[in-house]
């Protein structure tokens, strides 16, 4: 906006403001009603859905699902879209950071004086696209399968299968029909990686996968079962 | 011989009146402009005619303050106003105009603020019983949930309040985006808003660990790992969050203080700045409205 446009805006705004009503009681009545509605929604959600509490945190045994609050699903699911491991940092930090910087600087690169959404097609379309993308990713996250089931037929590996199922791997990885696609698929890891490499990855994983070093230290047998099971997937 | 009265301390000097404010005294002028004295600009006061020299000031002042002191404040509001002189400010806020066409979309900001206040209140009650030690955290949450009167209800309100606040803040941001409200002269308010958005999401993240159940714990491990994967600063931020290179007892108390002291303090301060700008600049009119008188005015100027 140049000075002329700024002046025009200020003049027009002061007239529209002059034509308006006073904040009290008109605007505050609407704000107050909205506050009451907000309160009621919170109370209804609380009464209907309660406050669940999972089993106590335990850094060694691992029947966990590393699922964030639902409003972070869209960030979490970016990992599903960006596949190659070397690009993981793009999904975890790169894309969110770029989006955030764009959002922060919005008033500095969109400087046209036009405010009507119908006359700003680029901005309006970009806004709608962002909302749809976030909604889609959130939905993907919500529909992601339960992380504690493996229906794979792998004869003779019951212990390992159970250890893997209860360790939350499927919160991020797919094995056969189950699990999520945030990390690489594990259905055939055995063919891709030797046993030692699998064990090494579990102890010293690439970000953002959590490490299983504690499990290895405190329950080496279970850890070994897990590695055996994974190595047998071919 | 008559000595001049000593100057009054600053706090006791009468404030300049604003249009529509109650006269602090009987309304005689205590000086003219340009001599650093307080001017009374109320309509109907003889101020501004430049006749009386300021030498006569002290005497007139004395009269004026006598009047002011004799005035009996009515009720609590009057008592407060006599001491704070804030009624013109409050009045200015309450009776400021909001533009024509202001609609329900404009309530989303104040609703977000209300949700924040609700979070603060329920959070304070949770903090009375919560214990941020790894061996105690989970137990104190179970205690709140199962034993305390309305404990589960307050915990639920805090949990669902966070969801509601996040939804409201996104809706509010969408409103200001589609209405073009981030444009001149409100750019700074948009920037403050984006920081508020980040802080609000950080509240959700830091609070998720506190009940210390499996889901929250491992989600936080992954979240901190995600942080660590950022180039350059990533590992340092992750170490700061964990209080070291591993999850320990420090991590939990660190998250607790971030969640209940650092971020809420920042949010409260920034909401203050945000609202100051809202009151100072006014809220936008809906972008599809055009001022009817604008054209007429331009014509007149010609
Ligand atoms: C804790 C979070 C926030 C609170 C409590 C808050 C509060 C408010 C309130 C009460 C208003 C007055 C008008 C209205 O309600 O629409 C307002 C206006 C505004 N807010 Fe926020 N806000 C928050 C977050 C944000 C965010 C995330 C953004 C955008 C990134 C933002 C940008 C703006 C802008 C640009 C205005 C001026 C709107 C206009 O003049 O029409 N705010 N805010």
């Amino acid at each position: 906006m140049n000075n002329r446009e700024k002046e025009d805006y200020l003049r027009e705004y002061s007239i529209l403001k002059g034509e308006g009503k006073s904040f009290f009681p008109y605007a505050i009545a609407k704000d107050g009603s909205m506050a009451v509605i907000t309160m009621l929604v919170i109370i209804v959600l609380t009464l209907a859905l309660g406050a669940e509490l999972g089993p106590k945190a335990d850094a060694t045994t691992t029947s966990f699902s590393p699922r964030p609050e639902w409003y972070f699903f869209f960030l979490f699911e970016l990992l599903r879209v960006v596949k190659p491991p070397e690009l993981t940092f793009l999904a975890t930090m790169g894309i969110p950071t770029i989006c955030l910087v764009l959002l922060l600087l919005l008033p500095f690169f969109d400087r046209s004086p036009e405010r009507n959404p119908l006359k700003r097609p680029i901005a309006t379309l970009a806004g709608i696209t962002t909302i749809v993308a976030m909604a889609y990713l959130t939905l993907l996250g919500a529909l992601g399968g339960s992380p504690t089931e493996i229906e794979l037929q792998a004869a003779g590996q019951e212990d390992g299968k159970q250890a893997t199922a209860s360790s939350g791997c499927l919160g991020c990885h797919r094995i056969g029909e189950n699990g999520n696609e945030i990390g690489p698929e594990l259905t055939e890891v055995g063919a891709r990686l030797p046993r030692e490499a699998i064990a090494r990855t579990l102890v010293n994983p690439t970000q953002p996968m959590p490490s299983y070093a504690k499990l290895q230290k405190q329950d080496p047998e279970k850890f070994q079962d897990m590695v055996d099971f994974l190595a047998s997937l071919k | 011989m008559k000595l001049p009265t000593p100057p009054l301390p600053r706090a006791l000097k009468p404030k300049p009146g604003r249009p529509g404010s109650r006269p602090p005294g009987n309304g005689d002028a205590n000086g003219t402009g340009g001599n650093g004295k307080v001017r009374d600009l109320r309509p109907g006061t003889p101020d501004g005619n430049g006749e009386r020299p300021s030498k006569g000031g002290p005497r007139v002042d004395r009269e004026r303050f006598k009047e002011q002191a004799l005035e009996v404040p009515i009720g609590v509001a009057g008592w407060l106003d006599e001491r704070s002189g804030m009624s013109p400010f409050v009045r200015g806020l309450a009776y400021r105009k909001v533009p024509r066409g202001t609609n329900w979309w404009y309530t989303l900001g104040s609703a977000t603020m209300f949700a924040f206040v609700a979070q603060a209140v329920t959070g304070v009650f949770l903090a009375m019983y919560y214990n941020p030690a790894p061996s105690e955290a989970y137990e104190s949450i179970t205690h709140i949930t199962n034993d305390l009167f309305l404990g589960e209800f307050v915990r639920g309100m805090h949990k669902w309040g966070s969801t509601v606040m996040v939804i409201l803040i996104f809706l509010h941001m969408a409103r200001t985006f589609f209405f073009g409200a981030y444009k001149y002269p409100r750019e700074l308010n948009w920037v403050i808003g984006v920081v508020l958005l980040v802080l609000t999401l950080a509240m959700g993240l830091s609070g998720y660990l506190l009940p210390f159940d499996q889901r929250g714990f491992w989600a936080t491990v992954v979240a901190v790992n995600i942080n660590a994967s950022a180039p350059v600063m990533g590992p340092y931020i992750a170490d700061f969050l964990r209080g070291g290179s591993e999850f320990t007892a420090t991590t939990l108390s660190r998250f607790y203080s971030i969640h209940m002291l650092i971020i809420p303090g920042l949010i409260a301060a920034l909401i203050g700045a945000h609202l100051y700008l809202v009151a100072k600049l006014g809220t936008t009119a809906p972008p599809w409205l055009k001022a009817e008188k604008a054209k007429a005015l331009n014509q007149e100027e010609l």
Side-chain angles (χ1 to χ4, degrees):
Chain A
M1 281 174 96
N2 56 33
N3 285 342
R4 174 75 214 262
E5 287 160 342
K6 287 183 180 172
E7 192 188 324
D8 282 350
Y9 174 74
L10 291 178
R11 177 178 312 164
E12 165 126 345
Y13 177 67
S14 82
I15 295 170
L16 278 168
K17 193 170 177 181
E19 288 169 356
K21 293 178 180 164
S22 61
F23 178 73
F24 177 87
Y26 298 100
I28 207 136
K30 281 197 184 121
D31 286 343
S33 322
M34 200 61 181
V36 172
I37 293 172
T38 306
M39 198 51 161
L40 287 178
V41 169
I42 296 177
I43 290 176
V44 167
L45 280 173
T46 304
L47 294 181
L49 300 166
E52 57 163 345
L53 183 67
K56 186 176 175 176
D58 186 333
T60 56
T61 66
T62 40
S63 65
F64 71 89
S65 48
R67 271 156 92 77
E69 277 278 33
W70 69 270
Y71 45 78
F72 289 116
F73 282 174
F74 72 98
L75 285 175
F76 211 53
E77 293 297 309
L78 275 179
L79 288 166
R80 198 197 285 264
V81 182
V82 182
K83 273 280 127 74
E86 344 37 292
L87 294 182
T88 306
F89 81 95
L90 263 189
T92 53
M93 291 309 279
I95 296 175
T97 308
I98 291 169
C99 290
L100 194 65
V101 170
L102 286 180
L103 195 70
L104 195 77
L105 296 182
L106 172 65
F108 305 101
F109 57 81
D110 176 11
R111 304 164 70 107
S112 80
E114 185 55 58
R115 280 152 209 259
N116 192 333
L118 298 178
K119 295 181 186 155
R120 301 185 288 143
I122 299 178
T124 304
L125 273 181
I128 292 174
T129 312
T130 309
I131 292 173
V132 169
M134 280 171 61
Y136 174 69
L137 289 174
T138 303
L139 200 69
L140 271 189
L143 297 179
S146 158
T148 48
E149 273 174 50
I150 298 180
E151 287 166 17
L152 209 65
Q153 303 304 323
Q157 298 283 355
E158 268 319 306
D159 287 348
K161 195 199 277 187
Q162 257 175 29
T164 310
S166 66
S167 296
C169 310
L170 290 111
C172 295
H173 300 280
R174 174 173 287 273
I175 299 181
E177 290 300 301
N178 309 99
N180 282 319
E181 291 174 12
I182 287 166
E185 185 167 340
L186 297 182
T187 314
E188 293 175 345
V189 258
R192 267 188 286 131
L193 294 174
R195 280 179 46 98
E196 301 73 43
I198 294 176
R200 232 180 296 132
T201 306
L202 287 176
V203 172
N204 201 355
T206 43
Q207 309 282 13
M209 183 174 146
S211 161
Y212 289 81
K214 275 223 175 98
L215 178 69
Q216 187 196 29
K217 226 182 289 159
Q218 308 203 350
D219 194 345
E221 199 178 326
K222 186 171 170 186
F223 183 83
Q224 214 43 52
D225 287 345
M226 221 160 106
V227 175
D228 289 344
F229 169 70
L230 290 170
S232 76
L233 295 174
K234 284 185 179 153
Chain B
M1 199 185 109
K2 220 174 187 182
L3 291 171
T5 35
L8 278 163
R10 243 189 123 218
L12 284 182
K13 277 202 182 143
K15 294 260 157 57
R18 297 219 180 150
S21 67
R22 210 151 47 104
N26 63 354
D28 51 359
N30 64 337
T32 52
N35 56 8
K37 284 268 178 183
V38 185
R39 293 180 68 201
D40 195 339
L41 295 172
R42 273 170 298 117
T45 51
D47 196 34
N49 54 15
E51 292 296 292
R52 230 187 298 206
S54 60
K55 297 268 188 249
R59 197 179 182 137
V60 183
D61 272 355
R62 223 190 267 160
E63 290 293 312
R64 179 193 179 124
F65 293 130
K66 210 159 132 197
E67 290 281 337
Q68 191 177 340
L70 281 176
E71 207 174 76
V72 185
I74 303 167
V76 179
W79 189 92
L80 280 175
D81 187 33
E82 193 187 7
R83 275 145 195 86
S84 64
M86 77 186 179
S87 83
F89 173 72
V90 172
R91 219 171 294 224
L93 267 189
Y95 293 111
R96 73 176 198 273
K97 291 231 171 162
V98 293
R100 182 158 66 83
T102 297
N103 54 39
W104 285 95
W105 293 107
Y106 289 78
T107 60
L108 292 167
S110 68
T112 312
M113 181 171 65
F114 180 76
F116 175 70
V117 172
Q119 289 302 87
V121 173
T122 48
V124 164
F125 281 101
L126 291 177
M128 290 174 185
Y129 297 95
Y130 178 72
N131 184 345
S135 52
E136 295 297 319
Y138 186 80
E139 281 70 19
S140 65
I141 294 284
T142 349
H143 175 62
I144 290 173
T145 315
N146 299 335
D147 308 339
L148 294 181
F149 174 64
L150 285 183
E152 185 173 7
F153 183 67
V154 171
R155 225 193 108 219
M157 282 196 52
H158 199 69
K159 181 177 164 59
W160 292 106
S162 84
T163 282
V164 167
M165 181 171 172
V166 168
I167 293 176
L168 283 171
I169 197 171
F170 272 116
L171 288 177
H172 173 60
M173 184 167 77
R175 197 283 282 171
T176 55
F177 177 79
F178 287 116
F179 281 30
Y182 55 86
K183 299 190 173 194
Y184 175 85
R186 300 185 181 78
E187 295 96 328
L188 180 58
N189 224 11
W190 173 269
V191 171
I192 294 177
V194 174
V195 179
L196 278 170
L197 175 73
V198 173
L199 290 174
T200 304
L201 290 178
M203 282 301 268
L205 202 74
S206 55
Y208 206 49
L209 174 67
L210 299 182
F212 219 57
D213 59 351
Q214 282 284 56
R215 170 188 292 230
F217 178 78
W218 288 104
T220 311
V221 170
V222 172
V224 174
N225 284 350
I226 285 179
N227 239 302
S229 76
V232 193
M233 285 300 287
Y236 298 100
I237 298 176
D239 280 355
F240 168 75
L241 288 175
R242 282 184 297 239
S245 59
E246 288 213 34
F247 259 76
T248 55
T250 326
T251 315
L252 187 58
S253 56
R254 190 165 285 220
F255 268 63
Y256 185 44
S257 87
I258 290 175
H259 182 79
M260 57 95 82
L261 292 170
I262 301 179
I263 306 183
L266 285 174
I267 291 184
L270 285 176
I271 288 183
H274 199 68
L275 292 189
Y276 167 77
L277 286 177
V278 165
K280 179 151 179 81
L281 302 170
T283 47
T284 50
W288 50 83
L289 282 188
K290 285 271 164 279
E292 277 144 23
K293 289 184 204 152
K295 286 203 181 90
L297 246 154
N298 280 335
Q299 299 270 298
E300 257 170 53
E301 274 169 20
L302 296 171

